[in-house]
Amino acid sequence: MTITQLQYVLAVAEHQNFTLAAQKSFVTQPTLSMQVQKLEDELDILIFDRSKKPITITEVGKKIVEQAKNIVNEAERIKDIVDQEKGFIGGDYTLGIIPTIMPTLLPMFLKTFINKYPKVNLIIKEQSTENLIRNIQDGHIDAAIAATPLEVEFIKERPLYYEPFVGYVPNNHRLKNLDNLKPEDLSINDILLLQDGHCFREGVINLCKASKNYDDEHFQLQSGSFETLVNLSDEGLGMTLLPYLNTLSLDAVKKMNLKYFDAPSPAREVSLIYHKSELKIQITEALRDVISGIVRGAIAFQDVKIISPISK
């Protein structure tokens, strides 16, 4: 039994196709198939049911795949230990970021990080929270930046900053004359929301302690853009809520429509999340230090109440 064989098993389990698994593993399909077959022969069991399309994992195969993940991760820790011992911060590092954080946070820290750690090959992927969690578990990304708490057993969360919610209230809205907002002022039925799948949407719904009812709506919005929400608000179609960092780039006219919440301001907790195995922890810590240092100067809010991103 070899680590390479286990890596091939994991590739087939993920892609449910020997040809695709071979392509992703950068070997020929016969080579990969032969190694998987050798492992099955050695163990005297079938890991994969090849009679079905797509290929399925047998019941005993599922247990082997889970154990293979642990073994491959632990094998990778050997190089990780050596790198830490040498004080080396470099190599490939894949970072996932959710869409509602990527546009504002990435430009703030990316240049500083790559200048400070030029030996790190940072690979950045924009993904939903659900995909980030799955890819952390499968080892496809090393860490992610997401709204927390997520309450996932195998994930560690290291808060980076707390980002307040800010109201964007157009002139014709019922809340326009208020100096500050309170959560009880909000009605979920006149707030423009991001499309399903965005954790900021769930945070707004949790803040309002309600679920969105489309029965009386004249339109349904499916957009992942805060800019779209602001423009629709300006057209008199409702108010919206924005993360604080998204308000910094608004022009002077639009900033006049911003309304802040009374303290404690509702806020999202933004964290660096990674697998509890802590692979490449020296790069993770370096990334956290850079981001925390930069964002600390942009967000001065301290008295906040964290709103969960988990759908209630």
Side-chain angles (χ1 to χ4, degrees):
M1 185 186 305
T2 67
I3 298 296
T4 299
Q5 287 174 334
L6 296 179
Q7 289 171 331
Y8 291 165
V9 165
L10 293 179
V12 176
E14 178 185 356
H15 300 291
Q16 296 180 282
N17 181 287
F18 277 85
T19 301
L20 184 56
Q23 291 173 355
K24 297 295 183 180
S25 302
F26 305 102
V27 295
T28 64
Q29 190 267 329
T31 297
L32 181 139
S33 296
M34 180 184 68
Q35 290 299 323
V36 172
Q37 183 68 58
K38 284 180 66 175
L39 179 59
E40 289 178 320
D41 291 344
E42 178 182 343
L43 299 175
D44 195 26
I45 53 94
L46 283 179
I47 300 174
F48 301 106
D49 184 347
R50 296 160 175 80
S51 66
K52 298 179 180 178
K53 300 294 183 181
I55 293 167
T56 59
I57 309 174
T58 64
E59 287 304 311
V60 67
K62 292 177 182 177
K63 297 177 182 179
I64 291 172
V65 166
E66 287 305 308
Q67 188 61 28
K69 289 179 182 178
N70 295 332
I71 294 171
V72 171
N73 279 339
E74 289 304 312
E76 290 175 353
R77 282 187 64 82
I78 294 175
K79 183 178 183 301
D80 205 42
I81 290 169
V82 173
D83 286 344
Q84 290 182 47
E85 185 67 23
K86 294 179 178 179
F88 176 71
I89 299 179
D92 290 345
Y93 189 89
T94 303
L95 176 70
I97 309 178
I98 61 173
T100 60
I101 291 176
M102 172 88 89
T104 53
L105 182 62
L106 187 61
M108 295 176 68
F109 78 84
L110 182 57
K111 185 175 181 180
T112 299
F113 182 81
I114 60 178
N115 285 342
K116 189 171 184 179
Y117 300 102
K119 294 181 180 179
V120 175
N121 177 31
L122 192 60
I123 303 159
I124 301 166
K125 298 183 178 182
E126 181 178 274
Q127 296 180 348
S128 67
T129 301
E130 181 181 0
N131 287 337
L132 292 177
I133 292 171
R134 183 170 58 252
N135 284 325
I136 287 175
Q137 184 177 32
D138 292 340
H140 296 316
I141 61 176
D142 298 301
I145 299 173
T148 53
L150 296 174
E151 301 175 7
V152 178
E153 185 273 333
F154 60 85
I155 281 181
K156 287 194 172 186
E157 302 176 358
R158 299 286 300 279
L160 295 169
Y161 59 93
Y162 303 101
E163 184 174 23
F165 293 16
V166 181
Y168 186 87
V169 184
N171 281 322
N172 59 353
H173 195 272
R174 61 183 178 83
L175 301 180
K176 183 60 182 177
N177 294 325
L178 294 180
D179 292 329
N180 292 308
L181 297 177
K182 300 182 181 66
E184 54 266 30
D185 294 328
L186 305 178
S187 169
I188 195 67
N189 291 318
D190 68 358
I191 297 179
L192 296 168
L193 298 172
L194 295 174
Q195 66 190 29
D196 284 339
H198 288 272
C199 59
F200 191 80
R201 170 195 173 92
E202 297 302 330
V204 173
I205 291 173
N206 292 340
L207 173 63
C208 297
K209 298 178 181 177
S211 60
K212 185 70 171 173
N213 183 357
Y214 289 107
D215 291 346
D216 299 324
E217 296 285 353
H218 297 292
F219 70 96
Q220 292 186 27
L221 178 64
Q222 295 187 355
S223 172
S225 165
F226 285 115
E227 182 181 4
T228 299
L229 300 185
V230 167
N231 290 337
L232 290 176
S233 291
D234 289 338
E235 292 297 319
L237 294 173
M239 65 168 290
T240 193
L241 294 179
L242 305 173
Y244 175 75
L245 290 179
N246 288 78
T247 69
L248 301 181
S249 60
L250 294 176
D251 62 41
V253 174
K254 291 187 185 298
K255 283 183 177 179
M256 294 175 64
N257 291 331
L258 296 178
K259 289 191 180 295
Y260 298 92
F261 283 85
D262 285 339
S265 176
R268 64 175 175 178
E269 178 183 76
V270 176
S271 298
L272 191 61
I273 65 174
Y274 49 92
H275 199 280
K276 64 181 181 181
S277 63
E278 296 190 342
L279 285 171
K280 304 182 183 179
I281 190 63
Q282 70 275 24
I283 303 179
T284 301
E285 292 289 359
L287 187 64
R288 180 177 179 271
D289 289 345
V290 168
I291 296 174
S292 296
I294 289 174
V295 176
R296 198 177 297 123
I299 300 181
F301 296 85
Q302 297 297 328
D303 190 5
V304 297
K305 179 181 179 181
I306 305 304
I307 305 299
S308 172
I310 300 175
S311 179
K312 301 296 185 181

